[in-house]
Amino acid sequence: MKLGTVVNAVPALQKLAGENLTPKTLYWVSKLLSKLDTEIDFYNEERRKIVTDLGKEVETEKWEIPADNREEFNRRMTDLLNVDIDVEFKVVQIPTSEELKLSYNDIRLMDGFVELVLVDDTE
């Protein structure tokens, strides 16, 4: 799996964790996010190194990448997002009976991390 896949999925997974889920589902979502935290910490640290190496601080904690460094910045960020990672986790199965407010884009970003399971409410 690519680090970029995790980076893109985490905001949607955090949104999911903020929903009113059953305790069982919330448990598995929180376990998944905990497993991904290490990868996100690595990404944030490496991104910070790239920004401080190629950028300049314009205000306290606000950085800008000069035009002459943007190509190198984009190359390094692409390389970072393309790092292969090995993280073991259980795909979270979420029954469709959960009362969720998620977008199609959220579901698409969580693909491979979350699986919606159709529950027939007529039974």
Side-chain angles (χ1 to χ4, degrees):
M1 172 182 300
K2 301 289 184 190
L3 180 58
T5 302
V6 172
V7 170
N8 290 331
V10 164
L13 290 167
Q14 289 171 334
K15 181 178 176 182
L16 176 63
E19 291 289 321
N20 290 326
L21 302 170
T22 61
K24 180 180 178 181
T25 302
L26 184 57
Y27 171 80
W28 287 110
V29 171
S30 67
K31 290 283 283 186
L32 174 59
L33 281 168
S34 292
K35 292 258 182 173
L36 299 179
D37 276 347
T38 302
E39 309 307 327
I40 293 300
D41 289 345
F42 170 77
Y43 167 78
N44 287 333
E45 180 61 26
E46 293 304 309
R47 183 178 184 280
R48 186 193 62 74
K49 289 177 187 176
I50 294 169
V51 168
T52 57
D53 186 37
L54 297 174
K56 65 178 185 178
E57 194 170 20
V58 292
E59 292 178 30
T60 304
E61 297 297 316
K62 184 174 179 189
W63 291 77
E64 186 176 278
I65 306 299
D68 56 334
N69 286 348
R70 284 192 191 131
E71 189 174 317
E72 178 66 10
F73 174 80
N74 289 336
R75 185 191 65 74
R76 288 193 196 179
M77 286 303 298
T78 298
D79 288 349
L80 177 59
L81 292 170
N82 283 322
V83 167
D84 286 314
I85 59 169
D86 185 25
V87 58
E88 293 183 24
F89 60 90
K90 178 182 183 271
V91 174
V92 178
Q93 294 187 334
I94 300 178
T96 54
S97 59
E98 292 275 7
E99 305 249 346
L100 299 175
K101 302 285 187 214
L102 298 171
S103 69
Y104 167 78
N105 199 38
D106 292 331
I107 298 298
R108 189 178 56 78
L109 289 171
M110 292 186 290
D111 187 36
F113 299 95
V114 170
E115 176 185 338
L116 294 177
V117 179
L118 183 61
V119 175
D120 187 1
D121 292 336
T122 60
E123 294 179 3

